[in-house]
Amino acid sequence: MSATFIGMPGSFPKNAEKAVQNSQLRFNLRKATHTIRGKRASVVGELPDWQELRAAGKAIKDHTLRNLDRYLIQMEEAVTRAGGTVHWARDAAEANRIVAGLVKATGETEVVKVKSMATQEINLNDALAAEGITAYETDLAELIVQLGDDFPSHILVPAIHRNRSEIREIFLDKMPKVPENLTDDPPALAEAARLHLRERFLKSKVAISGANFMVAETGTLVVLESEGNGRMCLTLPRTLISVVGIEKLLPSWRDLEVFLQLLPRSSTGERMNPYTSMWTGAVEGQDFHLVLLDNGRTDVLADEVGRQALRCIRCSACLNVCPVYERAGGHAYGSVYPGPIGAILTPQLRGMGSDLDASLPYASSLCGACYEVCPVAIDIPEVLVDLRAKAPHAAAERAGMKVAGWIFNDHKRLAKAQRAATKLRKLVPKRLPGPLSAWTDTRDIPEIPDESFRDWWERTRRSERSE
């Protein structure tokens, strides 16, 4: 996986500090996330067995991950029997090389794309451009991001940081044949995008997609979407290339039924998503290629705590309830996967070798709201704490933790330290010196009381006994 998704050199705190100064961004995020979370709560509340569904989703995903090798082979065999071709990609470079080669073999220089997190993860569009191939996004929000030379900031709604006026300006500036009197009315914006995309759909001979799920027993791929652009991409072009993470597998059709209830309610707050497209192998003369993407996933699978992140179905429910995401936005995470799930998935996929990736496990208040809404019960706070322990720490911090551990390990030492702190409390500065200043730059030092709890307890107990 590449070092960063959007090339941000700083850590999450620095990126977030800049983002929170943008009042328009904060307004857009608050309005959108609160709307989606309200809709989700309403439709989830309709199901008396929601917690049972959630437990079933978790169990199915855990079973699949434990037997991933077997189900991947079963998937390959089923796709091949149905006339498709399966390719295996260890990392982003290999996946991009495979896709570029398949497109070149058709003789085409343009492709249309269904919204796909996996292709964003591997920076496929840039890789294709380097080979002289232009990729056109067809999801409305992804189209807005692409035309605006921008980056997605939300898993479900990539242009969540944009408002209607900004979208209108992007369309007028970058979209050909747009009427000059275009308004920022949503139906008008949607119609402009529809006319623009229809031409792409009819011209393009090659399409690239991801998939929400793969069914191992039949080799079927499943895409859930709300606009219909996905179905146009999946059916009209002569060649279809799907790039899918290996964790998207489900064993059977019966298992899929659970997730077709969990995903729409958790993502868009709908009982059923408007478009569910399914295809098995090469359909009606179409050439079909499935690229199974690892890109760090087997390393995540080897981690006993972190592997639960691979249960993620990309619903974005955790983003919509996260107080940190609501204020900082998605760009601060420097990854295609923002929010709480990105804070645990990105460092595992990319490692924590950069300041940005090492800081992501700290992009959380550990309030636990993300775990409460996750439809597959990923304990994000647990993974965050585990990653914090594995993250690189400065020498001063390590030394401070050793001293703290030595003090806390003995009640007599702790009592002496508390009494010393009480006596010296007036000398404690508001901002700690040297490397310790990083702590007080974002936190207030708690006020040291006149008397420690231990001393208060001993004093009051003595007075009680003497009475």
Side-chain angles (χ1 to χ4, degrees), residues 15-57:
N15 298 336
E17 183 180 7
K18 181 180 178 181
V20 296
Q21 305 303 318
N22 188 333
S23 58
Q24 183 63 60
L25 172 66
R26 295 204 316 273
F27 175 81
N28 294 349
L29 288 169
R30 179 177 176 81
K31 182 178 180 181
T33 56
H34 281 241
T35 298
I36 299 171
R37 94 165 64 157
K39 292 174 63 180
R40 176 207 167 271
S42 177
V43 295
V44 165
E46 296 173 350
L47 296 182
D49 63 341
W50 176 256
Q51 291 304 326
E52 287 78 8
L53 271 174
R54 189 174 180 240

Side-chain angles (χ1 to χ4, degrees), residues 50 53-54 57 258-266 313 375-376:
W50 176 256
L53 271 174
R54 189 174 180 240
V258 173
F259 292 93
L260 291 183
Q261 295 184 71
L262 288 172
L263 183 53
R265 285 177 167 83
S266 297
I313 58 175
V376 286

Side-chain angles (χ1 to χ4, degrees), residues 124-136:
L124 178 62
N125 287 10
D126 291 341
L128 291 177
E131 299 291 336
I133 301 165
T134 304
Y136 294 100

Side-chain angles (χ1 to χ4, degrees), residues 454-467:
R454 288 169 177 268
D455 290 342
W456 172 86
W457 180 260
E458 286 298 322
R459 178 174 56 79
T460 54
R461 289 271 298 208
R462 279 197 303 270
S463 65
E464 288 175 0
R465 285 194 295 267
S466 63
E467 288 177 356

Side-chain angles (χ1 to χ4, degrees), residues 279-294:
W279 69 101
T280 304
V283 181
E284 297 181 357
Q286 189 183 62
D287 292 328
F288 173 61
H289 297 268
L290 171 60
V291 181
L292 292 170
L293 177 68
D294 185 333

Side-chain angles (χ1 to χ4, degrees), residues 179-314:
E180 294 182 2
N181 61 348
L182 178 68
T183 69
D184 63 0
D185 188 42
L189 296 172
E191 179 64 16
R194 185 178 296 111
L195 294 174
H196 170 75
L197 291 172
R198 186 57 57 94
E199 183 179 351
R200 297 286 181 208
F201 290 136
L202 295 175
K203 284 175 53 180
S204 298
K205 307 299 182 187
V206 180
I208 297 173
S209 82
N212 295 99
F213 306 105
M214 299 184 292
V215 182
E217 72 175 349
T218 59
T220 302
L221 279 76
V222 185
V223 164
L224 282 68
E225 41 124 0
S226 300
E227 300 168 14
N229 62 295
R231 186 160 296 175
M232 298 284 279
C233 286
L234 297 171
T235 55
L236 290 177
R238 294 177 183 172
T239 301
L240 173 61
I241 305 167
S242 298
V243 182
V244 189
I246 56 175
E247 82 282 13
K248 294 297 184 71
L249 267 176
L250 299 176
S252 68
W253 276 93
R254 184 176 182 179
D255 300 320
L256 179 62
E257 179 265 341
V258 173
F259 292 93
L260 291 183
Q261 295 184 71
L262 288 172
L263 183 53
R265 285 177 167 83
S266 297
S267 58
T268 56
E270 296 173 298
R271 299 177 185 89
M272 179 184 294
N273 60 290
Y275 294 90
T276 301
S277 298
M278 305 180 186
W279 69 101
T280 304
V283 181
E284 297 181 357
Q286 189 183 62
D287 292 328
F288 173 61
H289 297 268
L290 171 60
V291 181
L292 292 170
L293 177 68
D294 185 333
N295 204 32
R297 285 160 174 79
T298 51
D299 293 334
V300 180
L301 186 60
D303 190 298
E304 291 187 6
V305 177
R307 69 175 58 143
Q308 58 186 299
L310 296 178
R311 294 203 298 260
C312 177
I313 58 175
R314 311 293 191 262

